[in-house]
Amino acid sequence: MFRDEVPFFLSKERGKVIYLASSNKNIDIYFDMLQEKGIKNIVKVDDLLDDESFYRINYELIDTIKNKKEYIILISLEGILKNYIFDGERLCLKLGKVISQKDLIEKLESSGYTRNYLVEKRMEYSIRGDIFDVFPPSGENPVRIEFFGDEIDRISYFSIYTQKTVEKISEVYMYIDKNNENRISFMNIVEKIHKKDLKLFIENPELLRYRLEENVLRDREKEKEIRDFFIDVEEKFTPLEVIKSDNKKFSRKKDFTKDGIKYNEFSQIRENDYIIHENYGVGIYLGIEIIDNKDYLMIKYAGEDKLYVPIDGINRIERYICDPGNVPEIYNLGRRGFKKRREKLEEEMLQFAKDIVAIQAKRAMNIGYSFSPDTVWQDEFEEKFQYTETRDQRRAIEDVKRDMESSKVMDRIVCGDVGYGKTEVAVRATFKAIMDGKQVLLIAPTTVLAQQHFERFQERFQEYPITMDILSRLKSDKEQNETIKKLQSGSLDVVIGTHRALSSDVKFNNLGLIIVDEEQKFGVKAKESLKKIRNSVDMLTLTATPIPRTLNLALLGIRDISVIETAPEGRIPVETMIMDNNKKEIRDAIMREIAREGQVFYIYNVVKSMEKKLEELRKIVPKFINIEYIHGKMTPKEIKARLRAFEDGEIDILLSTTIIENGIDIENANTIIIEGMDKLGLSQVYQLRGRVGRGKRKGYCYLVKDADKDFGKKAAQREESLKNLEPTGGGFQLSLEDMRIRGAGEILGDKQHGALETFGYNLYMKLLKEEIGKVKGEEKSENIVKIDLDEEAFIPDSYISSNEKLVIYRRALDIDNLDELLLLERELRDRFGKEPREVKNLFRFLKIKILAKIANVVEIKSTEDGYFISFNEVLVNFEKLHKLISDGKARYSQREKGLYYKGEMVEFLEWYLGGENDRVL
């Protein structure tokens, strides 16, 4: 049935087409292919798991059927079984249209919408000044409407992640009535369509009937309905064609360039959070207060003491992250308590800094092999990668190549969430090493992960004369000895293995690169072996959640780090839910996944009662569902065979220990149930959760806990952390959060524990880096410009709410160039509407600050008829100032050592930094 990898009847047919597919997998394949062919108006009705996705698909379906002359509907058996809303209120919004915002709000709220400050999910709306955001049940993206009075002045789609506009449009149609309960069957919808225009195709009807009888339906009424459906379509639709499908799989190059980072910051400070000021210590953040037309951060200290920090001092404040078991000590402001404590601890930090610098110096002296620049083969090999690299992935690849080509021994960590493309970074580094005749070792903590890497590398290298083998328990002693001989002789380019590859009998002929996947999973002996090799051979470490020690060493510069945090396009966040250990709830979760032809991981980390758990599960689900288990005490061949059967779809539920937390990549398994979550670490739960949601389907993670069991404060914090993690890109951030929960003192040893408790993790790292700079003899270059413009320059609450504007302030004050400042200004206008006078003044202030810093200005302050400007006398351009004075536009005060200027400050600074023709004053 496949011609040029496209279903011919779909790519050539025009008009109204309905295609009943025999599997959801086929629907996904056809949908992608047809989109690549540029065919419009394709609707796929497959994964109707939750209400949100059902309403979206429902409204897209009726919108297409009612309003498009040509379309293709790809529908599954489950889609046929659903009842649909066929009538609903459709709202039309066009540029220039006059509509009362009050009427619009009433319409939305009567349909079940709720108001939120920022729209984050469907059926929410938001009002911020003239900006009206709404996320209807229909359509892919939320809609932003900007009003001028009651007239629509702008309409656009915006990203739920960045909150920024992605596409401007002139009109939009939205179905808003979610409360319509008058539903009809899909067959009734078909009846309503003009039959003479309709072409209906059924794929594998025998398979569909079998699935109805054996796998899905136990409801006699529904069974009859479907049987009648087949009779009806055969009798009433002459264009009916029966299609045989071989369920063939295809690979296509996909564009994975979409940004997936959510707009809010992990370290965002909220009211009543502990914060730490580098000069005054830990306090409690109370919010923002306006004093003399400026925003100040209000911080509570011991007793009734309060500190008011001007907003441009925000870089001196951090969210306090340390051991949650200890309440931090809060000092009075008027005493020297914190200052004395800081001075004492800085002495200890200075010694620690000297130790770190010594390690860095030793590392810099390690001269390694300099790999050659990329070859034509390398370019050709990389071009065959089936996905388009994300921005961060490209950067990580460039970092690794640069390290390999330098004379320094590489020791780089590539950190990225599951499915973000770390393996491809390793694949390219491997190919580069082989091009120079070097051997490569990749080691993984489990035989399962090693096997998966072996298969992926084989697939990528299949067109090239590269020899590779695997060294693990999956091989017999005889096979392992053969592999070792080939390594010693140099006839093997790549070996992938477990810690077995680090044994003393394994010798290489010309080892040039070691790749370590999930280093934290290895034992002490393996880590010691790696430490010995690290100083002489280029090493690349891959990790989704770097252990705190590794992360810390990377942040201190002892090891290099590349972070991949851009989510692949189409990646849907995994939904995490906590549920009680209840048979009905567990059965429902399983059956929801089975109903959409998916598979389930069930994590149960107790080997001795694994078979008992297997029988429990078999009792609560229908007999046609196949369940098997794996655990680390089984033979490697048994594990491999069952994993293969699961991957091939022969097993519906895989009961497993945490053995599957790394490396298992099965796109059809999108529900994971984790029993005994309280006994697992936060990073471990996160890794397990990463086994699902790796494709385009929504993934679900159920954390099972006993309702009557008290897990304690730290377990409760783990639970809360998992719920609050960014939906994508959270692995790196989770390491910091895990560090906070477990207490960061153990990372740096007992001597630094007190410093960590006092300063918190963020400030500690900042101060330690300063001490390292002192040891290295680096000058602390902090060009602070004192600016007093005597005008209202802040963000009013009426424009942006307190918590959100703190994020904006931090971003704004970190900007050091005009291009980025302009982008932020445009973003605020897009997200929050036309800026008030105070915000315009703020951006003018920031522009002056950036220009003044470049111009080596020390101070700017308003005067009665202009400005007073003081320069760094060593770096001042006297020629330009003399010209200004001689032209009568300024006068110099010898006593105050500064310039009095009567013009516009931005124009002056641009002229001073530019040429004679730049805005002549």
Side-chain angles (χ1 to χ4, degrees), residues 61 146 304 315 336 404 447:
L61 180 71
E146 185 170 0
E304 297 301 315
N315 61 341
R336 292 189 72 250
M404 290 177 73
T447 54

Side-chain angles (χ1 to χ4, degrees), residues 417-601:
D417 262 348
V418 288
Y420 275 38
K422 300 185 298 293
T423 303
E424 181 61 19
V425 179
V427 164
R428 296 190 187 187
T430 299
F431 194 90
K432 187 176 182 69
I434 293 167
M435 288 298 97
D436 265 19
K438 293 288 186 179
Q439 292 174 304
V440 178
L441 164 65
L442 188 156
I443 58 169
T446 65
T447 54
V448 170
L449 184 52
Q451 183 65 32
Q452 185 135 7
H453 275 310
F454 182 69
E455 290 168 6
R456 284 185 182 174
F457 273 59
Q458 268 193 323
E459 187 181 337
R460 285 288 277 125
F461 294 147
Q462 62 185 344
E463 296 179 26
Y464 296 88
I466 291 172
T467 56
M468 60 185 299
D469 205 343
I470 190 165
L471 194 59
S472 73
R473 290 191 301 140
L474 290 171
K475 293 289 189 84
S476 66
D477 289 345
K478 184 181 177 183
E479 288 171 325
Q480 288 183 39
N481 290 332
E482 284 291 321
T483 301
I484 292 168
K485 282 179 185 176
K486 288 178 184 176
L487 281 173
Q488 289 174 337
S489 67
S491 61
L492 201 57
D493 297 313
V494 184
V495 65
I496 295 174
T498 56
H499 61 278
R500 170 70 180 92
L502 296 172
S503 301
S504 57
D505 62 330
V506 179
K507 301 285 192 296
F508 290 83
N509 181 274
N510 192 11
L511 181 63
L513 174 66
I514 297 175
I515 300 164
V516 186
D517 197 3
E518 299 298 345
E519 182 182 4
Q520 70 269 29
K521 302 293 178 187
F522 287 96
V524 175
K525 193 175 178 183
K527 285 177 183 172
E528 286 300 317
S529 299
L530 288 170
K531 193 184 289 184
K532 289 174 187 173
I533 305 169
R534 184 167 264 126
N535 292 330
S536 56
V537 179
D538 279 10
M539 188 165 291
L540 178 63
T541 303
L542 311 177
T543 182
T545 52
I547 52 172
R549 182 182 294 277
T550 307
L551 175 60
N552 183 65
L553 294 176
L555 293 176
L556 289 175
I558 295 174
R559 298 174 72 180
D560 300 311
I561 188 166
S562 299
V563 181
I564 304 176
E565 57 183 4
T566 306
E569 185 181 16
R571 177 62 61 86
I572 305 168
V574 174
E575 188 170 335
T576 304
M577 289 163 278
I578 314 291
M579 72 177 181
D580 292 336
N581 198 342
N582 178 290
K583 288 179 183 178
K584 184 182 181 303
E585 286 189 40
I586 290 170
R587 183 187 187 281
D588 289 346
I590 290 170
M591 294 310 294
R592 278 195 292 268
E593 185 62 53
I594 298 297
R596 62 172 184 166
E597 296 176 14
Q599 293 163 278
V600 178
F601 289 110

Side-chain angles (χ1 to χ4, degrees), residues 500-704:
R500 170 70 180 92
L502 296 172
S503 301
S504 57
D505 62 330
V506 179
K507 301 285 192 296
F508 290 83
N509 181 274
N510 192 11
L511 181 63
L513 174 66
I514 297 175
I515 300 164
V516 186
D517 197 3
E518 299 298 345
E519 182 182 4
Q520 70 269 29
K521 302 293 178 187
F522 287 96
V524 175
K525 193 175 178 183
K527 285 177 183 172
E528 286 300 317
S529 299
L530 288 170
K531 193 184 289 184
K532 289 174 187 173
I533 305 169
R534 184 167 264 126
N535 292 330
S536 56
V537 179
D538 279 10
M539 188 165 291
L540 178 63
T541 303
L542 311 177
T543 182
T545 52
I547 52 172
R549 182 182 294 277
T550 307
L551 175 60
N552 183 65
L553 294 176
L555 293 176
L556 289 175
I558 295 174
R559 298 174 72 180
D560 300 311
I561 188 166
S562 299
V563 181
I564 304 176
E565 57 183 4
T566 306
E569 185 181 16
R571 177 62 61 86
I572 305 168
V574 174
E575 188 170 335
T576 304
M577 289 163 278
I578 314 291
M579 72 177 181
D580 292 336
N581 198 342
N582 178 290
K583 288 179 183 178
K584 184 182 181 303
E585 286 189 40
I586 290 170
R587 183 187 187 281
D588 289 346
I590 290 170
M591 294 310 294
R592 278 195 292 268
E593 185 62 53
I594 298 297
R596 62 172 184 166
E597 296 176 14
Q599 293 163 278
V600 178
F601 289 110
Y602 194 106
I603 306 304
Y604 181 74
N605 210 29
V606 186
V607 174
K608 63 182 180 181
S609 54
M610 183 71 81
E611 290 191 3
K612 184 182 176 185
K613 176 55 67 176
L614 179 72
E615 291 308 312
E616 281 180 22
L617 291 175
R618 282 177 174 164
K619 285 176 184 176
I620 65 172
V621 296
K623 289 181 181 178
F624 65 81
I625 293 176
N626 189 15
I627 314 175
E628 289 294 348
Y629 66 81
I630 60 168
H631 55 71
K633 292 188 178 179
M634 293 169 62
T635 66
K637 286 183 179 178
E638 283 179 304
I639 295 172
K640 184 180 176 183
R642 288 190 182 174
L643 280 174
R644 178 67 66 195
F646 188 57
E647 192 172 358
D648 292 343
E650 295 167 15
I651 297 171
D652 301 300
I653 303 172
L654 185 66
L655 177 63
S656 173
T657 58
T658 54
I659 192 174
I660 62 108
E661 73 179 281
N662 299 110
I664 305 299
D665 187 1
I666 298 170
E667 281 198 13
N668 197 45
N670 282 300
T671 289
I672 185 165
I673 300 170
I674 304 174
E675 190 175 326
M677 53 147 317
D678 55 302
K679 297 181 179 70
L680 304 175
L682 182 61
S683 297
Q684 198 170 22
V685 173
Y686 189 84
Q687 286 280 70
L688 288 165
R689 189 177 76 159
R691 296 309 101 210
V692 297
R694 297 177 71 89
K696 287 189 175 180
R697 283 194 184 183
K698 187 175 180 67
Y700 294 85
C701 174
Y702 298 92
L703 303 175
V704 180

